[in-house]
Amino acid sequence: MQTNAHKDIPGNPSTAKSSKVRLRESATPDSLRVLTMDQWEFWRTNGYVVIKNAVPRSQAAATADFLWEFEEKDPVDPSTWYTAPRAEMKMKELAGTGMVEVYNHQHLWNNRQMPKVYDAFVDIWGTEKLWVTIDRANLNFPIRPGFEYRGFIHWDYDPETRPQNVQGVLALADQLDTEMGGFQCIPWLYRNYDTWKLTQPEDRDRFKPDTSGLEAEIVKVPLEAGDLLIFNSTEPHGIRPNNSEDKVRIAQYLSMMPAQEENEELRQWRINSWQNRIAPEGYAFPGDPRNWEQDRYETAELSVLGRRLLGLDTW
């Protein structure tokens, strides 16, 4: 099955590792739906861009409230925050990062099928025929003894393969304090990868760059609730440690790539994942052993746009 290709490596198996459609390389003001030309140029230069107010703050807050409920944690009681993971994470650098193993709840689909979110990815790809990733969310708590996640930088796809792909993070709460965790990346390495790799050993880990000497180049991206950050999959990135006293980074992972309507096996897998609330599983997506999605929640209702973004209806 198509999804098995991702069992032993990072990357979300709900879509392909790389699209046959190349990422858009040029744009004009009248060809963009959401991005400004300044944002477009920033995207091309730095490998990431922030779309302000991609979803309303109230909708972001409702999703955040649901995540607290799903995790059985109280947002005002830190004594409830620090619990052992329910499932083993094979991708060890994600251990302790606060991944929330929920994938197909109505709140997540409400955000996926927001027209502004979709239009932003249309701008990035240059095509309307897109599928949305079936991905999870994140509650990243302040570091405490026994929960001492220190942050990381990695790629989800081997940059040597030049993947035509993008990834995205939707902020569900303000992330303006750089000490509270959240997205970090190295645009310098994104721009200079081909010369940088000549200084690296042949047997280097293709998914985890040695960032020694690049500490000053790491960018901590501030976000407000409802903001969408889109980044190129060749952008080295990760979750930074939460060194705040009591702030929680809350986010949903959300991206789109060109639809693969000819891949019937993958299309049926996606439909089954939505209909029966099934996690991608594999290397980095273990799912919830409580089976709450299946036992407590109904199949999410989809808009006309949502049905196409899933693959239930064709473009």
Side-chain angles (χ1 to χ4, degrees):
M1 186 171 180
Q2 162 71 25
T3 51
N4 287 337
H6 289 251
K7 289 291 184 183
D8 299 316
I9 64 171
N12 187 299
S14 65
T15 55
K17 290 183 289 184
S18 182
S19 174
K20 295 178 181 178
V21 177
R22 295 189 62 81
L23 284 161
R24 188 178 199 168
E25 296 183 351
S26 63
T28 57
D30 60 351
S31 70
L32 295 172
R33 300 182 176 191
V34 174
L35 272 65
T36 65
M37 284 303 296
D38 285 344
Q39 287 177 306
W40 172 258
E41 294 301 333
F42 186 92
W43 156 256
R44 293 285 293 169
T45 301
N46 294 286
Y48 77 94
V49 65
V50 175
I51 312 302
K52 302 296 293 182
N53 305 307
V55 307
R57 285 184 68 91
S58 59
Q59 186 168 313
T63 309
D65 289 344
F66 160 69
L67 296 180
W68 286 106
E69 171 195 315
F70 186 82
E71 285 295 276
E72 300 181 272
K73 300 179 189 299
D74 185 338
V76 299
D77 183 0
S79 70
T80 67
W81 296 356
Y82 301 94
T83 56
R86 297 188 182 97
E88 179 187 1
M89 185 74 68
K90 293 182 181 179
M91 188 174 174
K92 297 305 181 185
E93 60 264 43
L94 290 179
T97 59
M99 293 299 178
V100 180
E101 292 295 318
V102 61
Y103 293 87
N104 281 289
H105 190 273
Q106 186 70 60
H107 282 296
L108 304 186
W109 275 101
N110 288 346
N111 297 329
R112 291 168 184 157
Q113 57 195 4
M114 280 294 295
K116 187 172 181 179
V117 170
Y118 166 69
D119 285 343
F121 284 103
V122 171
D123 283 351
I124 294 297
W125 281 103
T127 178
E128 297 180 348
K129 298 179 179 180
L130 300 175
W131 277 357
V132 68
T133 51
I134 297 174
D135 212 330
R136 64 192 154 193
N138 182 255
L139 290 172
N140 185 10
F141 299 111
I143 290 174
R144 293 291 184 272
F147 297 86
E148 297 173 344
Y149 162 72
R150 295 299 178 185
F152 65 92
I153 295 288
H154 75 150
W155 289 285
D156 290 288
Y157 307 96
D158 180 354
E160 284 295 297
T161 66
R162 296 294 194 271
Q164 296 299 301
N165 206 349
V166 298
Q167 294 159 258
V169 183
L170 177 68
L172 301 177
D174 291 344
Q175 302 168 26
L176 301 176
D177 180 349
T178 58
E179 292 300 306
M180 68 178 291
F183 182 85
Q184 60 181 354
C185 61
I186 310 181
W188 181 91
L189 185 49
Y190 166 77
R191 292 190 296 268
N192 295 283
Y193 174 80
D194 285 336
T195 52
W196 168 86
K197 73 178 183 181
L198 299 178
T199 69
Q200 303 301 302
E202 282 291 323
D203 62 350
R204 70 184 184 279
D205 187 331
R206 297 296 177 87
F207 296 94
K208 300 174 189 175
D210 179 358
T211 59
S212 302
L214 297 179
E215 292 84 358
E217 302 292 347
I218 297 176
V219 175
K220 302 174 181 179
V221 184
L223 299 170
E224 294 181 284
D227 291 352
L228 173 67
L229 184 151
I230 302 173
F231 61 98
N232 194 304
S233 289
T234 57
E235 176 84 76
H237 66 279
I239 302 172
R240 61 184 184 267
N242 188 338
N243 293 312
S244 71
E245 285 297 317
D246 57 4
K247 295 182 174 65
V248 180
R249 182 260 189 156
I250 313 177
Q252 176 182 345
Y253 298 104
L254 197 173
S255 187
M256 298 184 191
M257 72 182 301
Q260 300 163 263
E261 293 175 337
E262 74 287 353
N263 189 335
E264 183 62 17
E265 191 173 31
L266 180 57
R267 191 180 76 87
Q268 289 299 329
W269 180 91
R270 289 170 55 83
I271 293 171
N272 181 61
S273 178
W274 156 76
Q275 194 165 45
N276 296 301
R277 285 84 71 205
I278 303 297
E281 299 181 340
Y283 185 64
F285 304 89
D288 174 22
R290 300 170 304 170
N291 294 319
W292 273 24
E293 281 205 83
Q294 293 82 12
D295 298 340
R296 294 195 173 201
Y297 308 112
E298 300 296 323
T299 298
E301 295 183 7
L302 303 180
S303 65
V304 172
L305 174 59
R307 291 174 64 90
R308 289 175 173 173
L309 289 173
L310 173 64
L312 194 61
D313 293 342
T314 63
W315 285 99

